[in-house]
Amino acid sequence: PAHPPRIPPNLFKAYDLRGVVGRDIDAAIAGQVARALAGMAREAGHDGIVLGRDSRLSGPALASAVGDGLRAGGLDVIDLGLVTTPMAYFAAEHLGTRAAVMVTGSHNPPDQNGLKIVLGGESLSEASLHALRQRAEAGPVPDTERPGALIRRDIAADYHQRITDDVRPARALRVVLDAGNGAAGPYAPDLFRALGCQVDALYCEPDGHFPHHHPDPSRPENLEPLRARVLATGADLGDDV
């Protein structure tokens, strides 16, 4: 764009980007940041990057804009689709990019979303994020001669295999999992079953409305359904995934 979107001053936090969708972050802003990130990544020697998103309603549009911006900046994008943040970080190492962007609002309210970024195997720190913000605010970055490729990849099997190769409970456990309608829902039950656990799964259908409870596990009331099911079934443990 001839006139780049204004970057809200409160979007960049100490270790990620996070804000209210439509006010602090939207597709245009996400794309502009991604174009700036592509330049930073290429200068650091990267030619590819992993992209994932969580279950928030704004996730598909923001992830699409981020992917377009990264590719316009010359990076090949490995799109994982709906995944957890640990899965995206695993993919960055497993697939050799050592770079990732995760579109996620983490534990924040449903109307918020943001970006978590890894370059060179390290999460961007406050200083690096400040440099990224300066690049994004500087305006449009010229397209590279060769736009990056878009590669879609399912990382779930590799991720599960890596964990089951390393972890084995000493005995079969009865586990209650509360995915809270988040991104772990499609993956966590199968993973725990592969570890030999008997799984009682709660709210494992991804839904960006988070209809059953707020996604923040630090608030005791959000753990109440999990606590109640553990007590009712006599499970060995409960996990808010």
Side-chain angles (χ1 to χ4, degrees), residues 98-179:
R98 305 205 75 220
V101 179
M102 182 67 190
V103 179
T104 177
S106 190
H107 61 278
N108 294 286
D111 64 343
Q112 296 189 27
N113 214 330
L115 309 177
K116 294 183 181 294
I117 301 169
V118 169
L119 286 183
E122 299 288 340
S123 296
L124 290 196
S125 64
E126 191 169 5
S128 298
L129 287 171
H130 179 70
L132 176 60
R133 177 179 176 177
Q134 288 183 317
R135 283 176 177 256
E137 290 177 334
V141 179
D143 289 344
T144 58
E145 293 183 4
R146 183 195 70 85
L150 176 61
I151 305 154
R152 301 193 187 279
R153 178 71 180 259
D154 185 345
I155 201 66
D158 291 343
Y159 182 71
H160 285 192
Q161 188 65 54
R162 181 69 171 84
I163 294 173
T164 55
D165 284 347
D166 284 351
V167 177
R168 180 61 57 181
R171 64 178 178 85
L173 297 172
R174 298 174 61 195
V175 180
V176 180
L177 300 178
D178 181 356

Side-chain angles (χ1 to χ4, degrees), residues 80 83-92 102 116 155 159 163 184 241:
L80 306 177
V83 291
T84 66
T85 300
M87 290 173 74
Y89 291 171
F90 164 81
M102 182 67 190
K116 294 183 181 294
I155 201 66
Y159 182 71
I163 294 173
V241 296

